[in-house]
Amino acid sequence: MKLRGLYAITDSELLAGKFLSYVEAALEGGVTLLQYRDKSNDEARRLREAEALRDLCERYKTQLIINDDAELAARLNVGVHLGQTDGPLSPTRALLGSKAIIGSTCHAQIALAEQAAKEGASYVAFGRFFNSNTKPGAPSCSLDLLDDAKRTLHLPICAIGGISLDNAAPLVAHGVDLLAVVHGLFGAESTAEVTRRARAFNELFKS
Ligand SMILES: Cc1ncc(COP(=O)(O)OP(=O)(O)O)c(N)n1
Ligand SMILES: Cc1ncsc1CCOP(=O)(O)O
Ligand SMILES: [Mg+2]
């Protein structure tokens, strides 16, 4: 499966009261990967929501990725995204199997991406590229790094952090395969606008 296009990421606060309707609206517009990102410790709710997303993703033929939690990913038989402090990659690859999608946060460091590639990552994520409402403190990353990354790495490259329809085109022009977006997608006023934005993000990959 080609990892290219929109990578929608959920946010529990932003999506409170409209979680599934907004996610479905995004899937309607086209989503390559959907990440369930919930930083709470409410295990029961996390399981319930992740299961609901898995069912929705199956209907739309979208791949579900769980943020941080390889155990939950294994339980649901879906992919996982791991940051630098979320546990080691190689044992996670062994746990989830060779076909699972495993992503790795590499901030602004090619060396971290090379290491992740060696340990079996399916894609590497760089960012944040712009100011982020969701994670303002994430280390910043410049467009120049993408040119180095394209030269050096042979894995799909994901960009994250403050991405919107107004600033995403240069990222794609610099070779980004996946645009990971929270606020620029789910910050919309209506489900119709979420679908429109998802479609517009996908259009960026067609030119
Ligand atoms: C696609 C993607 N890229 C980066 C991150 C950030 O992961 P991490 O550094 O572990 O931070 P948290 O998201 O866990 O706060 C991500 N989740 N997804
Ligand atoms: C999880 C994460 N990691 C780096 S920036 C970020 C947040 C992305 O959210 P937004 O698209 O709203 O900036
Ligand atoms: Mg994490």
Side-chain angles (χ1 to χ4, degrees):
M1 190 232 170
K2 201 161 184 222
L3 295 184
R4 190 168 156 82
L6 175 60
Y7 187 169
I9 302 184
T10 68
D11 179 288
S12 306
E13 274 115 62
L14 188 61
L15 293 176
K18 51 191 186 187
F19 186 72
L20 287 180
S21 62
Y22 266 46
V23 170
E24 185 159 10
L27 297 182
E28 212 38 76
V31 171
T32 301
L33 299 180
L34 175 75
Q35 183 182 123
Y36 177 52
R37 181 171 182 272
D38 174 279
K39 304 300 283 186
S40 81
N41 293 321
D42 186 340
E43 296 301 325
R45 183 172 55 82
R46 282 168 56 75
L47 177 60
R48 209 171 50 241
E49 289 184 346
E51 280 176 340
L53 292 184
R54 182 198 51 192
D55 295 348
L56 206 50
C57 283
E58 268 170 22
R59 282 210 347 251
Y60 283 86
K61 308 217 179 315
T62 294
Q63 302 285 328
L64 178 63
I65 308 292
I66 306 289
N67 189 39
D68 295 338
D69 190 342
E71 303 282 311
L72 181 56
R75 184 164 175 177
L76 298 186
N77 196 24
V78 298
V80 72
H81 183 92
L82 296 178
Q84 290 298 319
T85 56
D86 296 327
L89 228 145
S90 304
T92 303
R93 171 59 71 202
L95 175 72
L96 297 183
S98 62
K99 291 203 182 118
I101 299 173
I102 302 181
S104 171
T105 299
C106 301
H107 302 299
Q109 296 176 48
I110 303 281
L112 290 179
E114 285 173 332
Q115 186 60 30
K118 270 192 211 141
E119 292 178 23
S122 313
Y123 69 83
V124 288
F126 296 105
R128 66 182 164 86
F129 281 91
F130 307 105
N131 292 334
S132 169
N133 285 326
T134 310
K135 195 158 181 175
S140 69
C141 183
S142 77
L143 279 175
D144 293 345
L145 176 123
L146 292 172
D147 302 331
D148 289 348
K150 285 309 274 188
R151 264 194 307 275
T152 323
L153 302 164
H154 305 283
L155 279 182
I157 291 173
C158 173
I160 190 166
I163 297 172
S164 71
L165 285 167
D166 294 333
N167 61 25
L171 294 167
V172 179
H174 282 260
V176 161
D177 300 287
L178 291 161
L179 291 169
V181 189
V182 181
H183 212 271
L185 178 67
F186 290 123
E189 290 290 310
S190 65
T191 52
E193 175 62 8
V194 173
T195 303
R196 186 197 73 79
R197 289 186 188 184
R199 287 206 178 104
F201 276 115
N202 284 302
E203 283 301 313
L204 296 173
F205 290 92
K206 289 181 183 158
S207 49

